[in-house]
Amino acid sequence: MTVTACAAYLQYDLESTFGGGGNSVNKVFGLDQKISGLSRKNNQIPLTQLGSPEIQSFAYGKDEGGMSVDYILSNPWFFSWIFGDPVSAVAGSAYTHTWNSSPSINATICTATTGNIEIGVDTDTNVIRITKGVIAKSINLKTALNDTVKGSMSFEWGKEDALSTSLDSTPASDDILFPYTFAHATLELPNGTTIAQIQDFDITFNPNTELLWGVGSVQAVSAVRKVLEMTGRFSASYLNSTLLAKLIAREEYATLQITFTNGLTGANEKSIVINATGVGISEHSNPTIAAGEVIFEDISFQWRSCQIIATNAISAQP
């Protein structure tokens, strides 16, 4: 039977121990999920022998898998792949969920976060892939005029269960169900000063997490986190010299704030606010200066510390 994406699902949970799987695989990354580059390899090693040009046999190395997931920003739970589980609290008639990159606030930030991703396809025999010890290599969020806020994450794993044929009859769904667009986003640099006439922007979280293997098993046995890199860029109308002067002076901005919000309050509020501190501009450029054309400036930046606060009607991360 030929199948389409109508016959597939994608869901995940985080692990408390490497490769142990999640307690309940009940979360999705966002709306309009798409998988690309789904692969698994066994690092096959061809072996030859004197006296023949033919390959005589094969040996096999470590198990490796990977993929990328694209989605429309809706729920905030994917941040836990980088920052660990959020701290949830009551906020009036809504709830806040806070992630933090500072080790003085987040005791688990120095530990690599791993997860359990399940990919199911309803075929003649059904194909369910259950990956464990999964690491997120990066999170990217971007938007542009007349577009949605798009998320993209890349994953690697070195442990995968045997293929299953038992489909989840009630796969996970998005619990926020709000597709953020460019109209729901603002960028303030510094906090309180909105950058006007932004054409597009994107931000990337890269934890530099790596899988570790050991002699005695083809499967990964652990993961380690290295330096957390948080970077971004935006393009805006060239209105003044403020940003260029900051670059030339090699000075940091104390704060940067990126907000995604539905504009409502109380129990109806759905928002994600990224508060960055220690923000340095690394590059300024004007792509084109030509007669009859609007002059834009492209700004690349990096920040040192980060707090993310999501507000919604969900009491706790699923």
Side-chain angles (χ1 to χ4, degrees):
M1 176 179 69
T2 301
V3 297
T4 69
C6 291
Y9 65 81
L10 169 67
Q11 55 192 11
Y12 75 89
D13 196 12
L14 300 180
E15 300 175 328
S16 57
T17 59
F18 181 87
N23 294 323
S24 180
V25 185
N26 60 355
K27 289 180 278 295
V28 297
F29 296 98
L31 300 173
D32 196 25
Q33 295 184 121
K34 297 180 180 68
I35 300 172
S36 60
L38 176 61
S39 68
R40 180 177 178 176
K41 62 181 181 179
N42 55 22
N43 287 288
Q44 184 183 58
I45 305 167
L47 302 175
T48 59
Q49 184 59 277
L50 296 175
S52 173
E54 296 180 324
I55 293 172
Q56 300 298 300
S57 61
F58 296 104
Y60 297 91
K62 61 186 182 182
D63 285 341
E64 293 181 272
M67 68 176 180
S68 294
V69 177
D70 298 318
Y71 53 93
I72 305 303
L73 179 63
S74 177
N75 78 73
W77 315 126
F78 61 89
F79 284 114
S80 295
W81 282 93
I82 302 290
F83 299 97
D85 291 332
V87 176
S88 299
V90 176
S93 55
Y95 299 89
T96 59
H97 314 280
T98 303
W99 294 264
N100 204 296
S101 67
S102 172
S104 64
I105 298 173
N106 182 355
T108 66
I109 192 64
C110 293
T111 303
T113 301
T114 62
N116 171 191
I117 297 178
E118 181 178 325
I119 306 156
V121 182
D122 186 2
T123 66
D124 288 335
T125 57
N126 297 337
V127 180
I128 295 86
R129 297 182 62 175
I130 300 173
T131 66
K132 296 178 179 178
V134 184
I135 58 172
K137 298 294 289 183
S138 66
I139 296 175
N140 176 263
L141 297 174
K142 64 181 180 180
T143 193
L145 294 177
N146 204 35
D147 204 353
T148 55
V149 180
K150 292 180 169 63
S152 180
M153 298 179 67
S154 60
F155 298 95
E156 291 181 0
W157 59 86
K159 186 173 184 178
E160 189 167 340
D161 287 354
L163 292 176
S164 171
T165 58
S166 300
L167 289 169
D168 188 333
S169 59
T170 56
S173 60
D174 192 275
D175 55 1
I176 299 298
L177 282 175
F178 184 80
Y180 292 97
T181 72
F182 74 103
H184 303 113
T186 58
L187 189 153
E188 300 176 11
L189 181 65
N191 186 6
T193 303
T194 301
I195 302 297
Q197 301 179 25
I198 287 183
Q199 306 300 296
D200 61 79
F201 74 84
D202 68 80
I203 55 175
T204 299
F205 300 86
N206 178 5
N208 284 292
T209 303
E210 295 182 358
L211 292 171
L212 296 177
W213 283 261
V215 172
S217 175
V218 298
Q219 297 185 331
V221 295
S222 185
V224 61
R225 160 168 285 170
K226 298 184 178 180
V227 175
L228 174 59
E229 297 177 312
M230 298 175 284
T231 59
R233 58 156 299 280
F234 64 83
S235 177
S237 296
Y238 195 25
L239 302 178
N240 53 54
S241 63
T242 301
L243 295 170
L244 178 58
K246 203 75 168 178
L247 170 79
I248 293 171
R250 302 189 176 192
E251 296 175 347
E252 290 185 1
Y253 281 103
T255 59
L256 174 147
Q257 185 177 87
I258 299 171
T259 302
F260 306 100
T261 179
N262 66 350
L264 301 179
T265 59
N268 296 316
E269 179 178 351
K270 297 176 180 180
S271 66
I272 300 171
V273 180
I274 300 171
N275 295 304
T277 56
V279 185
I281 296 177
S282 54
E283 183 177 359
H284 178 286
S285 65
N286 299 109
T288 303
I289 299 178
E293 298 292 334
V294 176
I295 300 176
F296 295 105
E297 58 181 346
D298 287 356
I299 305 297
S300 297
F301 56 92
Q302 186 169 12
W303 66 94
R304 294 186 282 112
S305 188
C306 187
Q307 178 198 63
I308 301 168
I309 303 174
T311 304
N312 52 51
I314 309 299
S315 61
Q317 176 179 258

